[in-house]
Amino acid sequence: MAIAQELEPTQITLDQDIEFPPGDLESQELPLESYLHLQQILLLIKCLDWLWRDRNDYFDAGNLTIYYSPHQKKSSDFRGPDFFVVLDTERRSRKSWVVWEEGGKYPHIIVELLSSSTAKTDRTEKKKIYQDIFRTPEYFWFDPESLEFQGFALIKGTYQPITPNNQGHLWSEQLQLFLGIENRQLRFFSPDGVLVPTPEESATKYQNELITTQNQLEIERQQKDQLAAKLRELGIDPEQL
């Protein structure tokens, strides 16, 4: 089970004397490492958006730049997590996440997808930035190739490993969901361990349940017809029963 979260993400002080860059900054992220990385990001976004389709108090994105220092030129201090979620904010389209335009809010959870070219940075430099500057409560990394998966919770200012449950899933206190590997992909799971579906999976499940119900009704109808025929053979009118 995960270590309890004790700290909230830090917020930058909006000093009136600072000359802030424009807030509508474009994302500066490079193309993703591979098709697997792209599909994984889209999967996380799709599943969370479907699960939280009735909510308007969060923002999630993938491969989108986070600008976090108005003291520097925009090319100096920014990071683009592969996937992140900010809670208690407005759900709307953004070109990037500009911290000083968002009330000083940083992501509550970040997921980085490891690759041969980024793994070292994700495990060291980015982890330190997310811990010390962003103070993001939870940080996870996942390698779509090797399936390396690890998560950390910010405890007293330092990332501590999240202990997996018996299924190997890691609890996210921020999302109130588990993260775990299913069919070589990183997925969300409910507190009860149920896989959070995509819209397509939900539709398929509904169709299967509908077919099952229709088949059961057909079986019951046939049984009723057989019983009625048997009663008529015995000289009993089933309509009079």
Side-chain angles (χ1 to χ4, degrees):
M1 189 53 64
I3 303 172
Q5 172 60 38
E6 297 179 1
L7 298 176
E8 294 295 328
T10 56
Q11 294 187 347
I12 61 173
T13 301
L14 302 181
D15 193 330
Q16 298 298 321
D17 296 330
I18 297 175
E19 183 177 348
F20 287 85
D24 58 343
L25 300 175
E26 297 284 351
S27 183
Q28 301 290 320
E29 298 315 299
L30 298 174
L32 294 170
E33 187 77 10
S34 71
Y35 178 76
L36 279 179
H37 288 72
L38 172 61
Q39 290 300 104
Q40 178 62 75
I41 291 173
L42 294 176
L43 181 61
L44 290 173
I45 294 173
K46 181 188 295 186
C47 289
L48 191 64
D49 285 348
W50 177 246
L51 180 66
W52 288 358
R53 56 192 177 277
D54 296 326
R55 292 180 54 170
N56 294 298
D57 61 346
Y58 76 98
F59 175 73
D60 62 346
N63 201 41
L64 191 76
T65 298
I66 297 175
Y67 294 102
Y68 61 91
S69 177
H71 299 274
Q72 303 290 331
K73 293 180 180 179
K74 70 177 184 178
S75 61
S76 299
D77 285 339
F78 61 84
R79 280 294 181 271
D82 290 320
F83 174 78
F84 67 90
V85 182
V86 184
L87 303 174
D88 302 316
T89 190
E90 183 182 0
R91 185 178 178 183
R92 59 178 175 81
S93 176
R94 292 169 170 87
K95 296 179 181 179
S96 61
W97 183 267
V98 183
V99 171
W100 58 88
E101 293 289 329
E102 302 287 352
K105 280 183 173 291
Y106 285 89
H108 289 75
I109 174 176
I110 288 175
V111 177
E112 291 288 5
L113 302 180
L114 304 182
S115 67
S116 58
S117 63
T118 67
K120 182 178 179 180
T121 300
D122 291 336
R123 296 190 187 105
T124 56
E125 180 183 342
K126 283 189 177 182
K127 183 183 177 186
K128 185 172 178 58
I129 289 174
Y130 299 154
Q131 172 187 277
D132 298 341
I133 299 178
F134 285 26
R135 296 179 67 79
T136 292
E138 293 169 351
Y139 174 44
F140 299 84
W141 66 54
F142 173 67
D143 189 326
E145 295 284 353
S146 69
L147 305 186
E148 177 185 341
F149 176 46
Q150 195 164 354
F152 304 87
L154 192 66
I155 306 297
K156 296 182 179 179
T158 304
Y159 276 140
Q160 300 293 335
I162 298 174
T163 303
N165 65 8
N166 293 335
Q167 289 71 45
H169 299 167
L170 304 182
W171 177 248
S172 168
E173 188 70 24
Q174 299 299 310
L175 301 181
Q176 291 293 294
L177 295 169
F178 282 104
L179 284 83
I181 300 172
E182 177 81 7
N183 292 330
R184 301 186 63 84
Q185 293 178 310
L186 187 63
R187 299 291 298 265
F188 296 115
F189 296 83
S190 73
D192 296 330
V194 178
L195 180 69
V196 173
T198 63
E200 295 81 5
E201 289 168 343
S202 292
T204 299
K205 180 180 179 181
Y206 172 77
Q207 291 172 351
N208 290 338
E209 289 175 348
L210 181 61
I211 291 172
T212 299
T213 300
Q214 291 173 336
N215 290 340
Q216 184 61 39
L217 290 174
E218 177 61 21
I219 291 173
E220 292 175 358
R221 185 191 66 78
Q222 292 176 2
Q223 291 174 340
K224 183 179 179 181
D225 290 345
Q226 290 171 359
L227 177 60
K230 191 66 175 179
L231 289 173
R232 291 190 181 94
E233 290 177 2
L234 298 174
I236 301 172
D237 185 356
E239 300 295 333
Q240 300 300 317
L241 296 179

